């Protein structure tokens, strides 16, 4: 996509050797909380009888993960755990029970950790935290500072870490604090904030002239949030133990509309203590694997078979508790948890170049020209009253032009506009005044201006496409010009006789179309040989039906055209039925292949030892998929609709009487009547 989405750069793993104080914490965690298991071959693990001070190995890994975020986050976790354990002791005393003997050694170990954490600095000076020092160095290197417009987003999983960084980092970069201690250059985003406050922070970070330079954010911003408008620098202060979450974070600046190559950095805290589990144990390996997955598979899910970040991390920690490694987890991912569903659905959207279906030819009276359609539709619906009815006007700007209208004067349009982003509707005051254009150059210029604006996130002039609510509104306004049992008759001197334009639709048991054919039935009056069917697009081209078609006389004989409708429907149905077997085979082949895939998956899973609840889940899933596949098969007779009739003009005098020119509504059978004729 060129300049609108440059290829992402590599993720730089920046090793941060632990400070002396941090090494003491690593030693405490390694020796007392996460000792190497018996029979370990790791260097420095001669004492094979060591056991963890906690009976909860998941908490031990959680403690490690918290420390790898920051010592501040570790301090909060230690305090919370001590409170929890003390509560258990008090409850046991009240109930007259002997407290769990495992509590006392864990409390002692927690108190040692608290002393170590309290002995560390607050980060205001170099040497207090290895990762903090590296973060400051990297931000300076990429140009973040008081006299620079460069921006960066810094991710962390822990709110305590984010708050600490947002207070400490700006001053070390030279930003001046306000009287209340806050920094105009900094925004802090996390899940504890309200929706409106989060929205304001994101808007400020996306405005070009805003003073914000640093966004410290939690994973609340890792999915569905755009941070790429003014930023292409992302730093993982701590690293999630989830490929999905890493991928989601990176996607905040690696997305369409990014004008610079996205750059990623990950701070990797390292320890020299024998057997220590530092960021190289898990986090760095996941960073590298995510990068490989992005290049090869496109998604993290393809690596693990997991579709939820929380589930992925839970399984990884479970593997680590067993004494496994990240490599073990990734290698065995296909055999655990969601892997059965991954086997079932993992290749659903895998389509090779040779399997791509042929592109259908779009049938359009305007040859895909949205501007011509809108002009014609406005004239058809409003005539010369558009200015007074919707306050429509045309304006020029430079070499481009745009339309201005007031949706508030058309309640049905105003209702449709609710499909657009609320922030756009509110910021641009769209209800009162909406500006739209068909000029790509003008639309791009307005978009570029918005990206550089200090007050706006949205262009004041929007580009109008076929999918825009305004175009859909006009389409429906034109359609209601014809009654339920009416279709237009279009006269053209370029046809020899009546041509019935018919749409044929086969559907499945769910009511979804499976085959749609646009047909033109000719020769019903003997003017072009025997009756036949040609593609509708060819018939419209041959008849030169487009906005430039000259006004001619009205239809020659409406009664005669009406009498030919049943025959036209019959010819169209016969044409569809003649090709039904071929279409059915094309549709059934992939369904049959997937039905076989489901059957094989069910057999392999059950033979693999699934029992009890898991066996029932497999059976129910396979049965439900079998029912769904049956419902996807084409069924029943086709629905046939006469959309319009082309005919030669009649007596020129009819034009003076008002029957020539624009399509003439004429009564045709309803859908049900047409199908049963």
């Amino acid at each position: 996509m060129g300049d609108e989405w440059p290829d992402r750069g590599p993720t730089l793993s920046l090793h941060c050797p632990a400070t002396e104080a941090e090494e003491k914490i690593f030693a405490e965690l390694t020796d007392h909380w996460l000792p190497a298991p018996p029979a370990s071959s790791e260097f420095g693990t001669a004492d094979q009888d060591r056991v963890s001070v906690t009976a909860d190995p998941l908490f031990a890994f959680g403690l490690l993960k918290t420390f790898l975020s920051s010592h501040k986050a570790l301090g909060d976790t230690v305090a919370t755990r001590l409170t929890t354990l003390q509560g258990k002791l008090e409850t046991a005393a009240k109930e007259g029970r002997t407290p769990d003997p495992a509590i006392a050694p864990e409390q002692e170990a927690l108190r040692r950790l608290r002393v170590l954490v309290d002995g560390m600095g607050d980060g205001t000076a170099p040497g207090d935290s290895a990762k903090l020092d590296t973060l400051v160095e990297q931000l300076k290197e990429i140009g973040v500072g008081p006299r620079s417009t460069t921006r960066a987003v810094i991710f962390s999983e822990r709110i305590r870490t984010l708050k600490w960084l947002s207070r400490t980092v700006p001053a070390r970069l030279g930003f001046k604090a306000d009287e209340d201690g806050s920094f105009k250059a900094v925004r802090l985003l996390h899940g504890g904030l309200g929706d409106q406050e989060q929205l304001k922070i994101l808007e400020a970070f996306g405005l070009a002239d805003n003073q914000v330079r640093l966004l410290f954010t939690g994973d609340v911003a890792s999915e569905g949030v755009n941070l790429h408008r003014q930023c292409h620098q992302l730093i993982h202060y701590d690293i999630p133990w989830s490929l999905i979450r890493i991928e989601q974070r990176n996607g905040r600046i690696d997305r369409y509309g990014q004008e610079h190559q996205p750059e990623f950095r990950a701070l990797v805290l390292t320890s020299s203590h024998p057997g220590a589990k530092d960021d190289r144990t898990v986090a760095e390996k996941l960073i590298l694997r995510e990068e490989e997955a992005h290049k090869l598979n496109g998604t993290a899910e393809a690596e693990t078979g997991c579709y939820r970040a929380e589930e992925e991390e839970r399984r990884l920690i479970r593997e680590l508790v067993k004494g496994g490694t990240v490599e073990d987890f990734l290698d065995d991912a296909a055999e655990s948890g969601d892997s059965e569903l991954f086997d079932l659905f993992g290749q659903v959207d895998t389509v090779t170049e040779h399997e791509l279906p042929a592109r259908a030819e779009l049938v359009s009276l305007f040859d895909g020209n949205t501007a011509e359609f809108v002009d014609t539709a406005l004239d058809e619906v409003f005539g010369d009253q558009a200015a007074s009815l919707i306050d429509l006007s045309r304006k020029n700007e430079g070499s481009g032009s745009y339309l201005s209208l007031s949706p508030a004067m058309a309640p049905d349009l105003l209702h449709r506009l609710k499909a657009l982003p609320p922030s756009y509707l509110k910021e641009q005051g769209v209800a009162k005044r909406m500006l739209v254009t068909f000029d790509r150059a003008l639309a791009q210029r307005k978009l570029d201006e918005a990206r550089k604006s200090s007050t706006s996130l949205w262009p004041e002039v929007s580009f109008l496409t076929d999918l825009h609510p305004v175009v859909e509104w006009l389409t429906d306004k034109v359609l209601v010009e014809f009654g339920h049992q009416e279709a237009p008759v279009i006269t053209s001197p370029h046809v020899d006789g009546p041509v019935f334009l018919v749409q044929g639709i086969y559907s499945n048991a769910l009511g979804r179309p499976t085959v749609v054919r646009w047909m033109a039935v000719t020769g019903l009056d003997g003017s072009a040989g025997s009756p036949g069917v040609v593609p509708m697009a060819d018939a419209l081209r041959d008849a030169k039906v487009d906005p430039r078609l000259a006004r001619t006389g009205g239809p020659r004989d409406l009664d005669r055209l009406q009498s030919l409708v049943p025959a036209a429907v019959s010819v169209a149905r016969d044409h569809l039925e003649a090709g039904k077997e071929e279409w059915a085979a094309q549709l059934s082949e992939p369904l049959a292949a997937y039905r076989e895939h489901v059957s094989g998956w069910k057999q392999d899973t059950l033979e693999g030892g699934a029992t009890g609840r898991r066996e029932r889940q497999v059976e129910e899933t396979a049965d439900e998929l079998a029912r769904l596949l049956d419902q996807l098969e084409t069924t029943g007779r086709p629905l046939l609709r006469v959309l319009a009739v082309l005919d030669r003009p009649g007596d020129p005098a009819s034009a003076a009487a008002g029957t020539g020119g624009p399509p003439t509504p004429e009564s045709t059978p309803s859908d049900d009547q047409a199908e049963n004729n």
Side-chain angles (χ1 to χ4, degrees):
M1 298 186 183
D3 294 338
E4 291 297 317
W5 200 345
D7 291 337
R8 60 179 265 187
T11 299
L12 301 179
S13 292
L14 303 170
H15 285 200
C16 311
T19 64
E20 182 179 351
E22 289 169 334
E23 286 287 20
K24 291 179 180 179
I25 294 178
F26 269 120
E28 180 69 23
L29 292 173
T30 303
D31 297 342
H32 300 286
W33 293 87
L34 293 167
S40 171
S41 60
E42 292 185 25
F43 176 76
T45 57
D47 182 4
Q48 303 295 347
D49 296 328
R50 288 183 301 169
V51 295
S52 176
V53 294
T54 180
D56 183 357
L58 294 180
F59 174 73
F61 274 97
L63 201 64
L64 168 67
K65 200 161 178 285
T66 303
F67 172 56
L68 293 176
S69 177
S70 72
H71 67 286
K72 294 291 185 180
L74 175 62
D76 282 3
T77 300
V78 167
T80 300
R81 184 71 169 183
L82 283 170
T83 300
T84 299
L85 295 179
Q86 184 60 34
K88 291 182 177 181
L89 291 176
E90 293 174 357
T91 298
K94 289 179 182 179
E95 297 176 352
R97 293 185 290 104
T98 301
D100 186 344
I103 292 180
E106 183 174 341
Q107 283 181 314
E108 182 181 351
L110 287 168
R111 294 187 185 103
R112 290 198 301 270
L113 277 176
R114 184 171 59 186
V115 171
L116 293 175
V117 170
D118 291 344
M120 292 184 63
D122 60 4
T124 55
D128 292 335
S129 165
K131 287 205 304 182
L132 175 60
D133 290 348
T134 303
L135 174 64
V136 172
E137 292 172 4
Q138 290 298 309
L139 290 173
K140 289 179 178 179
E141 182 177 311
I142 64 179
V144 177
R147 290 174 292 280
S148 169
T149 60
T150 301
R151 302 186 186 193
V153 55
I154 297 94
F155 271 98
S156 172
E157 291 186 302
R158 308 288 173 171
I159 294 178
R160 181 67 177 91
T161 301
L162 290 170
K163 290 181 177 180
W164 171 58
L165 293 176
S166 67
R167 290 193 301 267
T168 306
V169 173
R172 291 184 59 174
L173 293 175
F175 290 103
K176 301 299 182 183
D178 293 337
E179 292 183 0
D180 61 357
S182 64
F183 295 86
K184 290 185 174 65
V186 174
R187 291 293 186 275
L188 174 63
L189 181 65
H190 55 77
L193 304 177
D195 292 345
Q196 290 302 315
E197 189 172 358
Q198 290 183 29
L199 182 60
K200 289 180 180 179
I201 291 171
L202 294 172
E203 288 181 350
F205 192 69
L207 295 175
D209 292 343
N210 196 284
Q211 298 180 57
V212 178
R213 296 294 177 266
L214 292 170
L215 175 64
F216 294 94
T217 180
D219 286 318
V220 66
S222 68
E223 187 174 5
V225 173
N226 296 325
L227 302 177
H228 67 291
R229 291 190 62 185
Q230 308 298 334
C231 176
H232 64 282
Q233 303 283 356
L234 185 149
I235 299 177
H236 299 278
Y237 190 80
D238 55 33
I239 303 165
W241 287 7
S242 161
L243 293 177
I244 294 174
R245 191 70 76 200
I246 295 171
E247 178 183 72
Q248 289 172 341
R249 283 185 178 185
N250 290 345
R252 297 317 95 212
I253 65 169
D254 180 21
R255 56 201 307 106
Y256 182 74
Q258 175 63 266
E259 297 180 345
H260 306 279
Q261 184 182 57
E263 297 183 16
F264 307 98
R265 292 167 171 80
L267 305 185
V268 177
L269 185 61
T270 64
S271 171
S272 60
H273 186 80
K277 293 177 173 60
D278 58 20
D279 272 325
R280 293 171 296 185
T281 306
V282 176
E284 186 174 32
K285 294 176 181 178
L286 293 178
I287 284 288
L288 295 174
R289 195 62 170 258
E290 187 278 335
E291 189 169 1
E292 293 176 4
H294 176 79
K295 294 176 181 177
L296 300 177
N297 301 318
T299 64
E301 290 88 344
E303 290 292 306
T304 64
C306 297
Y307 296 88
R308 292 167 293 162
E310 296 80 5
E311 180 67 10
E312 180 189 1
E313 181 175 326
R314 183 183 67 81
R315 289 185 202 152
L316 173 55
I317 293 179
R318 189 169 59 194
E319 180 68 36
L320 297 174
V321 168
K322 293 190 306 182
T325 64
V326 172
E327 292 82 1
D328 294 333
F329 166 70
L330 294 174
D331 291 342
D332 296 341
E335 301 176 5
S336 62
D338 286 346
S339 62
E340 293 167 359
L341 294 180
F342 180 71
D343 289 341
L344 188 58
F345 298 113
Q347 295 183 345
V348 169
D349 61 350
T350 303
V351 180
T352 68
E353 182 178 353
H354 300 292
E355 295 170 331
L356 293 175
R359 292 181 63 86
E361 182 172 12
L362 297 178
V363 179
S364 172
L365 297 179
F366 298 88
D367 196 25
N369 190 319
T370 306
E372 287 190 353
F373 167 75
V374 169
D375 287 342
T376 305
L378 287 170
D379 183 62
E380 177 71 20
V381 174
F382 298 107
D384 58 1
Q385 301 298 310
S388 59
L389 294 177
I390 57 173
D391 198 16
L392 179 70
S393 61
R394 300 175 186 272
K395 302 180 182 297
N396 295 319
E397 181 172 320
S399 59
S401 63
Y402 60 89
L403 297 178
S404 172
L405 67 154
S406 176
M409 300 176 69
D412 52 343
L413 171 58
L414 194 61
H415 178 74
R416 285 176 179 265
L417 295 181
K418 292 181 180 180
L420 299 176
S423 59
Y424 161 68
L425 298 175
K426 180 179 179 180
E427 178 192 292
Q428 293 297 324
V430 170
K432 182 178 181 180
R433 176 63 48 196
M434 187 176 200
L435 308 180
V436 294
T437 184
F438 307 104
D439 188 321
R440 289 182 178 274
L442 175 60
Q444 185 62 53
R445 188 164 68 250
K446 291 297 182 181
L447 179 61
D448 292 340
E449 290 175 0
R451 285 174 172 170
K452 299 175 182 177
S453 171
S454 61
T455 59
S456 174
L457 285 172
W458 300 97
E460 60 178 336
V461 179
S462 298
F463 185 60
L464 213 56
T465 69
D466 291 346
L467 299 179
H468 196 285
V470 169
V471 177
E472 293 180 341
W473 168 70
L474 280 173
T475 300
D476 287 346
K477 297 286 281 186
V478 171
L479 289 176
V480 298
E481 296 285 312
F482 302 101
H484 178 59
Q485 293 187 347
E486 293 180 339
V489 177
I490 303 173
T491 58
S492 169
H494 306 291
V495 296
D496 297 324
V499 179
F500 288 79
L501 307 182
V502 183
Q503 181 192 49
I505 302 175
Y506 279 106
S507 299
N508 57 31
L510 298 174
R512 307 289 174 81
T514 56
V515 176
V516 179
R517 287 294 181 269
W518 305 84
M519 301 169 285
V521 180
T522 64
L524 293 175
D525 65 345
S527 61
S530 60
V533 175
V534 298
M536 188 185 296
D538 292 348
L540 290 171
R541 273 194 297 268
D542 292 343
K544 296 181 171 53
V545 177
D546 61 33
R548 294 172 292 279
L549 181 65
R551 287 179 175 268
T552 58
R556 292 178 294 177
D557 188 345
L558 288 176
D559 291 338
R560 172 64 173 161
L561 295 178
Q562 182 70 57
S563 69
L564 293 174
V565 169
V569 171
S570 178
V571 171
R573 181 185 295 113
D574 290 344
H575 176 75
L576 285 176
E577 292 290 346
K580 182 177 181 180
E581 290 187 6
E582 179 184 353
W583 298 330
Q586 292 178 3
L587 293 169
S588 297
E589 183 178 350
L591 294 178
Y594 195 68
R595 187 176 281 108
E596 183 177 349
H597 180 64
V598 171
S599 177
W601 167 80
K602 175 182 175 181
Q603 181 177 349
D604 292 344
T605 304
L606 294 180
E607 289 179 353
T611 59
R613 179 184 176 190
R614 195 61 179 168
E615 182 180 8
R616 291 193 300 274
Q617 289 178 332
V618 171
E619 295 274 7
E620 291 171 359
T621 300
D623 291 345
E624 179 61 26
L625 285 173
R627 286 191 294 271
L628 176 60
L629 289 168
D630 290 340
Q631 292 175 322
L632 293 177
E633 295 280 3
T634 301
T635 183
R637 302 176 68 192
L639 170 68
L640 294 154
R641 297 191 291 182
V642 177
L643 304 179
V645 183
L646 308 180
D647 196 15
R648 292 186 64 80
D651 187 345
S654 64
T659 58
T664 302
E666 182 53 36
S667 182
T668 63
S670 67
D671 297 342
D672 293 337
Q673 291 172 322
E675 185 171 355
N676 294 312
N677 276 336

